[in-house]
Amino acid sequence: MMNSKLKEYIQKLESGFDSIPDARKENLKKLSDYVKAKTENNQVAKLNFICTHNSRRSHLAQIWTAVAAHHFGIENIETYSGGTEATAFNPRAVAAIERAGFKVGNPGGDNPRYRVTFSEDVEPLICFSKKFDDNVNPDTSFAAVMTCSDADENCPFVPGTEFRISVTYRDPKESDGTDKEKETYDERCVQIAAEMFYMMSNA
């Protein structure tokens, strides 16, 4: 069972689908079609969200897609994330999901393995920065979802991918250290959440 704060957040997401530009909807539906084709054939749809540092956008997409799959009752979905290099799940992005209603456990360290909980009925997601080919990520028969243009351009080949799509987002890092920091991270969190929910609603 999800907590009331997260439920309210999700209700607002679904009412905001009309604000997603048509061009992005068309692109997201391509990913929906991939997921649908896999699940209708009783196969697991493995989605690996990739950005440069695996610190912000790719984690947000991984987390919200897992929540959306649970929300819509879509089984055989596994979500992952990775980068072209590893750093850490940025604390500002972690704070944004906490404000959205997630419970986050932080064990500390340079690259913490955060425990992200969105429902009492689902095991927490273990989120930490890693390369896209880390051994915790799939190495075959998965979709590579490129969430930043830099990673998309600098990583033209992702081994093991059977489907690749570019669903890029502006980096909230640009607001770090400014008075717009919290607002920017919350805006990006909402945008990614809404689009992943829209995507999964069509799967």
Side-chain angles (χ1 to χ4, degrees), residues 104-168:
V104 182
N106 179 2
D110 292 336
N111 185 8
R113 291 182 175 239
Y114 293 96
R115 293 173 60 84
V116 179
T117 301
F118 61 86
S119 173
E120 296 174 0
D121 308 320
V122 181
E123 284 293 311
L125 296 168
I126 307 302
C127 297
F128 65 101
S129 184
K130 70 204 84 66
K131 292 187 67 176
F132 66 81
D133 58 356
D134 189 273
N135 59 15
V136 304
N137 288 342
D139 58 8
T140 187
S141 302
F142 66 93
V145 186
M146 314 304 288
T147 60
C148 84
S149 56
D150 286 346
D152 197 20
E153 293 167 4
N154 295 319
C155 191
F157 176 65
V158 179
T161 302
E162 63 180 6
F163 177 75
R164 175 175 173 149
I165 189 167
S166 181
V167 183
T168 61

Side-chain angles (χ1 to χ4, degrees), residues 181-193:
E181 184 179 281
K182 181 179 176 182
E183 178 185 348
T184 301
Y185 275 83
D186 287 347
E187 286 176 354
R188 196 64 63 249
C189 188
V190 169
Q191 180 191 12
I192 293 174

